[in-house]
Amino acid sequence: MKQFFPSWVRVPVVFFIIFGLIEYFVDSGEQPAFIKESSVLLFLLLVLIILVATEAIVASMSNILYQSLDEKGKARYDAKKEAPSALAAWVKSTYKKLLKSKPVEEEHEIILDHNYDGIRELDNSLPPWWLYSFYISIIFAVIYMFKYHVFDGDNQYVELEQEYAEAKIAIEEYKKTAKNLVDFNTVEVLTETSDLKAGEAIYIANCVACHKADGGGGIGPNLTDNRWILGGGIKNVFKTVSEGGRDGKGMIAWKQSLKPLEIAQVSSYLLQFQGKTAAEPKAAEGDIIWPENAGE
């Protein structure tokens, strides 16, 4: 491995492999792990120091072992070190072909007449990799020009608008399944048994003291009649439970202690009192008559 990758290549490669593994396994949100977590940064610095120290120790040990050899051993070591492997020889040969340059012993064939204070200029050909890259860039530029400036192809602004539209659709789809994102504008009556049971438990724990168990009303208004002080229907009831009732004498705002889903559940549950007969119903309050379909 040392024949192909010197220490100044090996150390950074190993370091960034370790860094990549840490970044992959450490959940650090949008920021890189080594920025958000100071302990990770210190660990990475420690790893880098260990790698550099290891390379230095190995190099020192190799030098000590080399110096301990006799002349024949040093000769065998030097011969083995100087003999490149087949792969290394192929890489070196391929690299020279890609450069398409003359070897040093043949440079006299391509020396130009220019002479600047003893500095001579060689007439080397451009490296094929550079030349082909240049040709490819020209082809790309022509295609780009025709697509975006002649045929008005979608540019980055159009792509951004498309991504915004796709994101908006994705958000709406997500909201359909994320019940805790419900608000006054998106709430709907919950009809599943599990939601109504949860709403009943919330009602018993928080609302019975003012509205009674059967919704007949006490300190709070009657929930069984068809009149509502702040508006009927799931949206108005959700808003009233969330934001509270009338200033100074109304219900507290439950949004501080209940999640949006819980408010939707208890709102859906108490709407079921509509039309039922309470044991001791309180007199109707409010001027808004709740239509039959207002809870839908």
Side-chain angles (χ1 to χ4, degrees):
M1 180 178 179
K2 292 183 178 180
Q3 293 181 0
F4 305 111
F5 306 107
S7 60
W8 60 269
V9 174
R10 293 196 303 272
V11 170
V13 167
V14 175
F15 175 75
F16 282 109
I17 289 175
I18 296 174
F19 164 77
L21 292 174
I22 292 175
E23 181 62 29
Y24 180 79
F25 288 107
V26 175
D27 184 10
S28 57
E30 296 180 356
Q31 289 183 320
F34 74 97
I35 292 179
K36 189 171 183 179
E37 304 290 343
S38 58
S39 59
V40 175
L41 176 59
L42 293 175
F43 175 75
L44 287 173
L45 291 175
L46 178 62
V47 169
L48 181 59
I49 293 172
I50 292 174
L51 289 174
V52 173
T54 303
E55 284 289 336
I57 293 171
V58 171
S60 299
M61 293 298 296
S62 298
N63 185 53
I64 293 172
L65 291 174
Y66 178 79
Q67 296 301 328
S68 65
L69 297 174
D70 55 18
E71 294 300 325
K72 292 183 179 179
K74 289 180 179 179
R76 288 194 301 268
Y77 179 85
D78 293 338
K80 183 178 180 181
K81 184 177 179 180
E82 292 173 359
S85 65
L87 177 61
W90 177 82
V91 170
K92 188 174 182 180
S93 174
T94 304
Y95 178 72
K96 287 184 176 180
K97 289 180 180 179
L98 290 176
L99 289 179
K100 202 176 181 180
S101 59
K102 290 281 187 179
V104 176
E105 56 271 14
E106 298 178 10
E107 284 185 349
H108 63 277
E109 299 177 3
I110 55 173
I111 292 179
L112 298 176
D113 294 333
H114 305 159
N115 189 324
Y116 304 95
D117 295 331
I119 300 174
R120 308 295 293 274
E121 183 179 356
L122 298 178
D123 189 21
N124 271 320
S125 301
L126 289 171
W129 63 266
W130 189 96
L131 197 60
Y132 295 145
S133 299
F134 180 67
Y135 292 152
I136 292 172
S137 66
I138 293 174
I139 296 172
F140 174 81
V142 172
I143 296 174
Y144 186 93
M145 181 187 68
F146 276 96
K147 180 177 180 179
Y148 293 105
H149 296 281
V150 177
F151 299 109
D152 294 326
D154 292 345
N155 55 31
Q156 63 267 37
Y157 297 106
V158 176
E159 292 176 357
L160 181 62
E161 292 176 358
Q162 292 174 349
E163 291 178 359
Y164 274 139
E166 293 173 359
K168 187 175 181 180
I169 294 173
I171 291 172
E172 293 302 323
E173 291 296 323
Y174 175 72
K175 285 183 177 180
K176 292 179 181 179
T177 57
K179 293 183 178 180
N180 259 325
L181 293 179
V182 68
D183 58 16
F184 167 70
N185 296 309
T186 60
V187 66
E188 295 180 357
V189 176
L190 303 176
T191 57
E192 294 184 8
T193 303
S194 59
D195 288 321
L196 295 176
K197 285 290 184 182
E200 180 182 10
I202 297 169
Y203 181 85
I204 293 173
N206 302 285
C207 311
V208 166
C210 295
H211 296 282
K212 293 186 178 180
D214 59 3
I219 299 174
N222 185 351
L223 301 176
T224 63
D225 57 45
N226 63 348
R227 303 177 73 85
W228 293 79
I229 298 173
L230 297 175
I234 187 63
K235 294 183 182 297
N236 290 319
V237 173
F238 180 95
K239 185 176 181 180
T240 302
V241 175
S242 175
E243 304 297 330
R246 295 164 291 176
D247 292 338
K249 59 178 179 179
M251 180 177 61
I252 65 170
W254 287 98
K255 64 181 180 181
Q256 305 299 332
S257 54
L258 295 178
K259 297 178 180 179
L261 174 58
E262 293 173 329
I263 296 176
Q265 289 170 335
V266 72
S267 299
S268 299
Y269 172 75
L270 66 85
L271 286 176
Q272 295 190 65
F273 289 129
Q274 175 67 30
K276 293 183 179 180
T277 302
E280 297 177 354
K282 187 178 179 180
E285 299 177 80
D287 298 325
I288 299 176
I289 298 176
W290 184 32
E292 293 181 358
N293 63 346
E296 297 179 359

